[in-house]
Amino acid sequence: RGEVTATNILTKILRLSQLTGGFLGDDEGKKIHQISTAKLRALEDIVDEATSSGKKLVVIARFIPEIDEITKMLEKKNLKFSIITGSVKNRSEQIEKFQNDSDVLVFVGQIATAGLGITLTAASTMVFYSLDYSMSNFEQTKARIHRAGQCDPCTYIYLIAKGTIDEKVMKSLNKKYNLASSLIDDYRQGLNPFKSI
């Protein structure tokens, strides 16, 4: 056995997480291929149910290809949405539209950039399309709808692909333990750290 480090474990988690979101990069990392739409179809059902009753919804995803497909789906449905990713410059305008424009029913955010310092209390439901393994990002993102001014109970929906790394990531976040350390410990004990739960 070679040396197992947090870096190579986290790299494998990253690749497996991209895969569960329905995307796979080529060996050169230049082209991303969509290999599944299962999560997107599940999200579409949730969006349809929420928006048909006029409720606002926050959708959080980790990877840009996922966000691109989510926004394409919303555009096909002629649904107005706000978005924050690392490349969005008008963050306050996007937040203000979601909070105050009754026609903007969906907010789409990248977990690493939409999880801090913003208020999204116009919605009481948040869908995690995908997760990263940072407890801080997870807790901070959940708090965007659960803030002062929220009048309704908050609901969190997690799109978890059964039998995948999604389950391990969710378990580690629920138990508040370090996923990389846990996977390295599994490996050192002779267990397959990537075997589903």
Side-chain angles (χ1 to χ4, degrees), residues 9-190:
I9 290 284
L10 294 178
T11 299
K12 191 162 185 180
I13 295 170
L14 174 72
R15 299 292 175 252
L16 290 171
S17 294
Q18 290 169 332
L19 192 62
T20 65
F23 294 91
L24 185 63
D26 63 18
D27 289 340
E28 293 81 37
K30 294 179 182 171
K31 186 152 174 67
I32 303 290
H33 303 280
Q34 186 170 19
I35 58 168
S36 172
T37 59
K39 278 191 179 184
L40 193 62
R41 288 192 314 268
L43 176 63
E44 189 170 3
D45 290 343
I46 295 165
V47 167
D48 287 347
E49 186 176 333
T51 59
S52 67
S53 60
K55 291 188 176 178
K56 292 195 177 206
L57 186 68
V58 174
V59 179
I60 299 295
R62 182 175 182 192
F63 302 108
I64 293 299
E66 296 170 340
I67 290 171
D68 290 344
E69 288 304 310
I70 292 165
T71 57
K72 282 180 197 171
M73 179 262 292
L74 295 171
E75 287 166 352
K76 283 180 189 172
K77 293 179 170 300
N78 292 316
L79 290 172
K80 291 186 178 179
F81 60 90
S82 290
I83 183 169
I84 292 184
T85 64
S87 63
V88 170
K89 304 291 184 232
N90 61 342
R91 290 169 55 101
S92 56
E93 181 184 319
Q94 294 293 319
I95 296 161
E96 203 272 317
K97 278 189 342 187
F98 180 72
Q99 286 290 95
N100 299 310
D101 185 338
S102 59
D103 292 332
V104 178
L105 294 177
V106 182
F107 176 91
V108 181
Q110 188 175 18
I111 196 167
T113 55
L116 286 171
I118 64 174
T119 298
L120 301 171
T121 53
S124 60
T125 300
M126 179 178 284
V127 179
F128 282 90
Y129 189 89
S130 54
L131 297 162
D132 71 7
Y133 34 84
S134 163
M135 177 56 66
S136 173
N137 283 351
F138 180 61
E139 293 297 338
Q140 286 291 331
T141 302
K142 284 174 57 179
R144 298 310 95 209
I145 65 170
H146 193 263
R147 295 173 71 78
Q150 180 57 266
C151 301
D152 298 315
C154 293
T155 301
Y156 300 94
I157 300 169
Y158 305 96
L159 299 182
I160 305 296
K162 187 174 167 73
T164 69
I165 195 68
D166 283 355
E167 291 181 333
K168 279 209 182 239
V169 171
M170 192 73 240
K171 182 178 179 183
S172 74
L173 292 172
N174 281 334
K175 293 191 174 195
K176 300 185 186 220
Y177 63 68
N178 183 301
L179 181 60
S181 295
S182 169
L183 293 175
I184 290 170
D185 290 346
D186 284 354
Y187 183 85
R188 288 184 177 146
Q189 293 172 21

